[in-house]
Amino acid sequence: GASLHGTLRPYQRVGVGWLHFLSSLGLGACLADDMGLGKTIQVLALLLVLKNQRRRRQNVAPRPSLLVAPASLLGNWASEIARFAPGLSTLVAHPSAMPTETLKSIDADRLGTTDMVITTYQSVRTLPWVAAVDWDLVVVDEAQAIKNPGARQTRAVKALRARARIAMTGTPVENHLGELWNLFRFLNPGLLGSWKRFRERFAVPIERDGEPRARERL
């Protein structure tokens, strides 16, 4: 609608509809478009759709969404929001945007009128209130940052509470299929089964043997 200051390309409209459909069911989505195809504007359009729906359902208590991104992308997200979705109330939860003491003392009242909180992977680990909030959506940008299941930041991001989750990445698989399995362990825990089962049925046949039937099952 008019709240989006821009025009979605046809495939982007399909993408927004797909994200909305999955999130409405509480399912996680991996948006794995290549760089430059507009992952950011699709996510912003989704957030505007959800905001407009909350306005129509006045009995629904608003919940903010959380975007987790590398620190180097915070400025880019802020500029894209200002350009395409200025109606989104956004809080950048990072020492570069506010004093440290203010950052640590953010509470539910401060978030009551906020549509989206933007923070970094490191801040998810160091700010206790981030883990305490029940988020509407948790969106992770450059989601390959959580490909290592044993890393502290991966465990911290997976522990976040949300109605639904979205991963944005141009490289869902960089080195091996275990990265894809771990990504979906964040998005839809249990969907791809145990790592042992996934490895036996998909990873080994595809990576070692190039088995086309395993690719079709995946």
Side-chain angles (χ1 to χ4, degrees):
S3 55
L4 180 68
H5 293 195
T7 302
L8 295 173
R9 298 185 178 98
Y11 72 87
Q12 292 171 337
R13 291 199 297 270
V14 173
V16 175
W18 175 72
L19 292 173
H20 182 267
F21 172 70
L22 290 180
S23 64
S24 68
L25 298 175
L27 296 174
C30 179
L31 184 58
D33 288 350
D34 286 337
M35 182 182 297
L37 292 184
K39 294 188 291 292
T40 299
I41 194 172
Q42 291 179 63
V43 170
L44 294 179
L46 172 66
L47 291 170
L48 289 171
V49 169
L50 295 176
K51 180 174 182 174
N52 290 335
Q53 289 179 337
R54 287 194 300 270
R55 283 175 174 170
R56 292 194 294 268
R57 299 196 301 265
Q58 297 181 359
N59 60 329
V60 177
R63 286 200 297 177
S65 293
L66 176 70
L67 170 76
V68 185
S72 60
L73 295 182
L74 296 187
N76 179 70
W77 272 97
S79 63
E80 293 291 276
I81 291 168
R83 177 184 177 187
F84 293 116
L88 287 177
S89 173
T90 306
L91 174 69
V92 180
H94 191 259
S96 64
M98 65 178 65
T100 301
E101 291 306 313
T102 303
L103 180 60
K104 292 180 179 179
S105 63
I106 290 176
D107 55 19
D109 291 338
R110 176 73 184 275
L111 300 179
T113 58
T114 301
D115 296 315
M116 181 168 65
V117 174
I118 303 175
T119 195
T120 63
Y121 287 97
Q122 181 179 357
S123 295
V124 171
R125 293 194 290 111
T126 59
L127 296 175
W129 61 266
V130 174
V133 174
D134 289 318
W135 304 100
D136 188 32
L137 300 181
V138 167
V139 182
V140 294
D141 194 7
E142 300 292 343
Q144 61 271 20
I146 59 169
K147 67 182 181 181
N148 182 355
R152 289 179 60 195
Q153 72 180 23
T154 300
R155 296 198 301 268
V157 170
K158 286 182 178 178
L160 294 171
R161 301 197 299 265
R163 180 179 60 82
R165 299 174 173 188
I166 295 173
M168 303 169 61
T169 175
T171 53
V173 180
E174 290 184 300
N175 302 302
H176 53 80
L177 283 174
E179 297 168 355
L180 183 67
W181 176 84
N182 189 57
L183 186 59
F184 272 82
R185 194 180 180 195
F186 160 72
L187 292 172
N188 297 296
L191 179 66
L192 297 184
S194 68
W195 167 239
K196 179 181 178 181
R197 176 60 173 158
F198 182 83
R199 184 175 181 274
E200 291 174 349
R201 189 177 184 189
F202 298 108
V204 171
I206 291 173
E207 294 174 351
R208 187 187 65 189
D209 306 324
E211 183 184 322
R213 292 184 64 184
R215 292 176 182 269
E216 292 171 4
R217 291 197 300 267
L218 183 61

